[in-house]
Amino acid sequence: ELKVEQNPLFLSMQEGKNYTIYCNYSTTSDRLYWYRQDPGKSLESLFVLLSNGAVKQEGRLMASLDTKARLSTLHITAAVHDLSATYFCAVDRGETSGSRLTFGEGTQLTVNP
Amino acid sequence: NAGVMQNPRHLVRRRGQEARLRCSPMKGHSHVYWYRQLPEEGLKFMVYLQKENIIDESGMPKERFSAEFPKEGPSILRIQQVVRGDSAAYFCASSRRMTEALFFGEGSRLTVL
């Protein structure tokens, strides 16, 4: 059974600081996704990482994937209050068709002014 | 281009009643997925459908839950004889191709009294 673990689960940080969220998964997969969820809202796709060594950046967020270590990171640079949300990583089970994602528990990020 | 549309957004049912949740995928998307999110948890895969076919229902509870995606009309997730433990947010997602990120709807929040 595929397991996806995120840490930390709760993160409180000051504006302007940097931090990294980690996502470990238990079985081989080369499709990993990062999503953002605001309270009571849907999930917004942030990054799709499809190969070992993939690195993607959007604004203050950068995501990377190391399939050998079964690890993805979401790095936050110079955090701002608007980044406060819950961030989920999700790993595809690797079926031959369709995307059955297994989600981590989520990292609840609070950025304080 | 409208996103994934779900309705109702909020649904209250008494124990033993039926709940029907609807999902219209994004235009051009033929892959539909249902996920369940319990409070303070990540999303759990329930079922994957293409038009008129259930591809994978390995995440569906064995009883009381069913899903369909007819040739015409929205996908429907049906929960019969609801119990309190069914209270959750149910998210529908769609994609055009297997390796694309899933686009999620706003979710249907079911409360069972």
Side-chain angles (χ1 to χ4, degrees), chain A residues 10 31 33 35 37 39-45 47-48 50 88 92-93 95-106 108, chain B residues 9 31 33 35 37 40-45 48 50 55-56 58-59 91 95 97-107 109:
Chain A
F10 298 93
R31 294 207 291 265
Y33 306 81
Y35 286 90
Q37 186 180 36
K41 300 292 186 181
S42 184
L43 280 79
E44 174 192 351
S45 175
F47 300 107
V48 182
L50 298 177
F88 291 97
D92 197 297
R93 277 165 31 180
E95 305 285 346
T96 54
S97 67
S99 296
R100 282 76 130 187
L101 301 183
T102 298
F103 282 79
E105 310 97 309
Q108 192 173 313
Chain B
R9 294 289 310 281
H31 303 254
Y33 307 80
Y35 286 79
Q37 185 179 33
E40 310 298 327
E41 293 188 11
L43 280 72
K44 298 281 194 291
F45 167 77
Y48 162 41
Q50 294 183 24
I55 308 301
D56 182 352
S58 59
F91 287 94
S95 69
R97 281 185 286 274
M98 183 173 71
T99 56
E100 287 185 352
L102 302 187
F103 289 83
F104 283 82
E106 297 274 317
R109 284 157 179 81

Side-chain angles (χ1 to χ4, degrees), chain B residues 22 24 103:
Chain B
R22 294 174 190 76
S24 296
F103 289 83

Side-chain angles (χ1 to χ4, degrees), chain B residues 27-89:
Chain B
K27 187 177 179 180
H29 288 194
S30 59
H31 303 254
V32 167
Y33 307 80
W34 286 93
Y35 286 79
R36 177 164 65 176
Q37 185 179 33
L38 295 170
E40 310 298 327
E41 293 188 11
L43 280 72
K44 298 281 194 291
F45 167 77
M46 297 182 75
V47 62
Y48 162 41
L49 310 104
Q50 294 183 24
K51 280 286 186 184
E52 299 185 275
N53 289 305
I54 297 174
I55 308 301
D56 182 352
E57 56 183 348
S58 59
M60 290 273 271
K62 293 285 184 277
E63 297 176 348
R64 302 187 297 107
F65 284 71
S66 62
E68 63 177 9
F69 188 16
K71 187 177 179 181
E72 302 290 337
S75 174
I76 295 175
L77 180 67
R78 182 181 178 207
I79 311 171
Q80 295 177 288
Q81 299 175 336
V82 296
V83 300
R84 289 224 173 98
D86 296 334
S87 295

